[in-house]
Amino acid sequence: MSLVSARMDAPHIDENPFFVLDLPIDCGAMDIERAGQKLLAMLKVGMKDAASYRTPLGPRQRDEDAVRRAMAALREPQARAMAEFWARPEVWEPVHETRLPVWSDAHKRLGTLDR
Amino acid sequence: MHSRPLYVGIDLGTTNSTAATFDGAALTLIRNAQGSTLTPSVVRFDGRGNVTVGAKARRAIDSDPENTRSEFKRVMGTGKRFAIPATGKELLAEELAAHVLRSLRADVREQLGFEPTAAVVTVPALFEIPQSAATSRAAQLAGFSRVELLQEPVASALAAGWTSDTRGAWLVYDLGGGTFDVSLLETRDGLLRVVGHDGDNFLGGRDFDNALLDWALATLKTRGVLIERSDPRAAPTLTKLKLAIEDARIELTRNERANVALVGCRGADGSDLPIDFDIDRLTMESVCRHLVDRSVAVCRRLLATHGRSSADLSQIVLVGGPTVMPFLRSQLRADIGAPFAPQLDPMTLVAQGAALYAATAGLDARPAPTQREGGERLWLSYPAMTPDLTPHVVGKLVEPRRQLARIRLRRADGWESPEVALDAEGAFVVAVDVLPRQSNELVLEGSDEAGKRVEVAPSRITIVQGMTIGDPPLSRTVGVALADDRVHVYFERGSPLPARRSFRHRTVESVVPGDGSFALKIPIVQGELDRAHLCRLVGALEIPSSLVKRPLPAGSPLEVTLELDRGGKLSARALVLGSGEVFEEVAHLLGPDATPQSLTATIEAIATRIGEHRRSAFRNNTAAMVSRLATIDERLNEARVAAQAAHGGDADAAQRAHRLLLELDAELDGFERDQQWPELDAELTDAIVHTTSWVQEFGNEHEKKVLDETVSAARRAREARQSVELQRQLRLLRTLAFTASQRWPEFWPTEFEAAASRVNEASDLAKAESLIREGRGYMDAGHRERLSRVVRDLWALLPSDPTERRLSYESGVR
């Protein structure tokens, strides 16, 4: 499979749950509930303050669906870990090396060498 | 009328149904006219237009089987019609289910004094979109104007979490009449999280009865009483015997021994059959032990998938009638080890959870008040039920501001919030303190600029503090089938509902305005596998040539939006980006039903699949495959016999054939997945090598950490041979690889050269050549972003494989 077709599954920086909920990456479970519920309520009554959020790529429109998706993602440890690195600014800093990818410890990771 | 909100939950079961209510403080089970909390899901019609539901209807199953219908939940959403001779009508499963729901609604009215207008109705965890949509329709037919669906295991987990102070990880073991579901849950900070589900769609109380029936037939045979299960003439005797055995199984939960004695049963030759024998607990244990073992294996698989063991469990919650069997409990205790949650009623837990969820969803069942409160009207929004001790109440004036300037909320016991000023939009946000594990009534007090009291409406609200779950999770992944037989996932399994997502696709074929003989299809599929043809088709969006105003050339960009509500309603829309035309016609498909014709067609399809695999097995000389296929083939013969009886009008046999065919279909799917395993395993090796290389070279520390977690999860899935989970982890690996690889400056130039090398295959050669010239210019100038756009446009012009497209439900998009 081409790597690029995996782009369809790639989480976008502009849908990052931490940006959608306007929360720091070290927030707790209750912070997520509180922020999410508050935003849902504000969106429901049409408050302008809740209608957009900031991302490193500029402001984005916020809707109830994005908030619910963000809350669900941050409740799930694996999805949260993914969201954490996307939320860090260094992820988007360009890397200038031009070396080709090299063979790594893949077999060890697979568990085929450590048996 | 109740002063506080009241929430209604309904467990619409295959065998029995139950309703429960929640008033913010206490759960109440609704009793029917017979005083029972369980209403048999059986409906009977008579010639005078009367409809009977429940125990009274069940008593007529033997005496008036043609006008008495049960177990219709199994064919929900299939289009199967049940003929009712007494009325001369044919009814769908959801129309029969509507009678059960209407009866429960009337029971709520009897007990509480008003007819509920809203309810949460539970559905099995593995219900697909057509089945869920049919359940919603049933509730609407029964008079509920607002309905939400909730998965049964989530409902029982919610009820168990509410009534006991569980922390950490725990299991809900739900053994119903026909299916087994197990859920791994975690409670933290008052929030319930469904970590994962597993189950066996073909394991339930009925399998225990069937195992006992087989034992009984063998026992009777040794006494010279011959009853052949495959002989349609034996069907009436078998039905009676099955019912008697079910009663005996239930009796054995209290007694050491039960007697089965039937009179008036006749053999195939018309002779009297003397049926009289005892079953004891030891016999039942030895006959049914393998079924409990099967369920334990599913529990262990679920734990292993999530890197847990039974030692991590704080408790097991038992749900479903068969879980009261003492031998099942002792075997589970011995095999899994965790204690059982105390004082929970396995028969009504699901309905209780549904009522609790109705509170979380703010689904007040009381009819709208006829009299309006006086005062300035506010539009309020707040969580009706929350684990948060300081939730927010948000409000806005409905009409332009008049006198109201400030607002304060006061709790009944005296606590009050600070006074908050309304902003320029006439809105406010107030954080309120609520008392734990109870219903908190809050009064809204408004004032004008001068501090003078202003009446507001509504003037009071109720917030319940307690354990909740987020939005109900989607049970199976939903996506669009692409022309190359891949699935573009829109909503992953576990996504919160309702959900709405849009993605951009390209057409693979031209659509020109015409007579409507051609339509470009966008198939919508549900399932966990990456290949579209292995997922279930649940709907299709079509762009017919008769509705297209301007020609739509191949490679045209489309924005497809899928939307799923909590009731299983699927909407889809395609926006043609070039012309702005919108297409919204979704063909909703039905699940398979059990008409004799559809049974025969399914048997033929399965026989063809077996034949193809058998030829391949012989060619490759793989004896194990041949033997496995022979077993499947033998069972297909059983289905043939039952289908023949179904052609003769035997509804029971039709259901048995239907069930058998579903099992065989699943077995063949499993067989096919196993055949793909070496390919999947190789894909994993490749993905790990690839992703690790990219992440080590261009990734940061966080990406490396995520990679480690993903590789561990993939290893667990690989060791447990769980192809579905493995595919999920593969998707994550590819995402990681893509993130890191994009930082390689040669990435887009490499992809560009690969696409350019296939220019002769392009559907529009002139356009492709122009794009290549454009791309070369961008490469020379170092415009990576523009080059990436050119590469995507080039891909859109490359053809799809016709075989893959046929497999992929003739998808017209990529």
Side-chain angles (χ1 to χ4, degrees), chain A residues 21-78:
Chain A
L21 299 179
D22 197 14
L23 283 170
I25 56 174
D26 58 352
C27 64
M30 199 48 72
D31 299 324
I32 297 163
E33 284 312 299
R34 189 170 300 143
Q37 291 297 349
K38 182 181 172 186
L39 285 169
L40 285 174
M42 290 171 79
L43 287 165
K44 199 162 269 175
V45 302
M47 284 180 74
K48 283 187 190 140
D49 283 355
S52 67
Y53 59 97
R54 284 176 304 163
T55 78
L57 306 175
R60 294 289 182 269
Q61 290 293 307
R62 185 192 271 134
D63 60 24
E64 289 179 47
D65 201 46
V67 173
R68 271 196 303 269
R69 235 179 10 245
M71 290 169 77
L74 295 188
R75 284 184 201 120
E76 211 257 297
Q78 209 175 358

Side-chain angles (χ1 to χ4, degrees), chain B residues 417-463:
Chain B
S417 74
E419 203 171 42
V420 173
L422 272 64
D423 66 13
E425 296 177 73
F428 63 87
V429 179
V430 183
V432 295
D433 272 16
V434 291
L435 297 170
R437 292 184 81 84
Q438 58 181 277
S439 179
N440 294 265
E441 193 172 67
L442 296 152
V443 176
L444 287 93
E445 295 174 351
S447 55
D448 63 12
E449 291 290 0
K452 197 176 145 210
R453 182 80 181 260
V454 175
E455 295 295 327
V456 292
S459 60
R460 54 190 67 222
I461 60 169
T462 304
I463 296 179

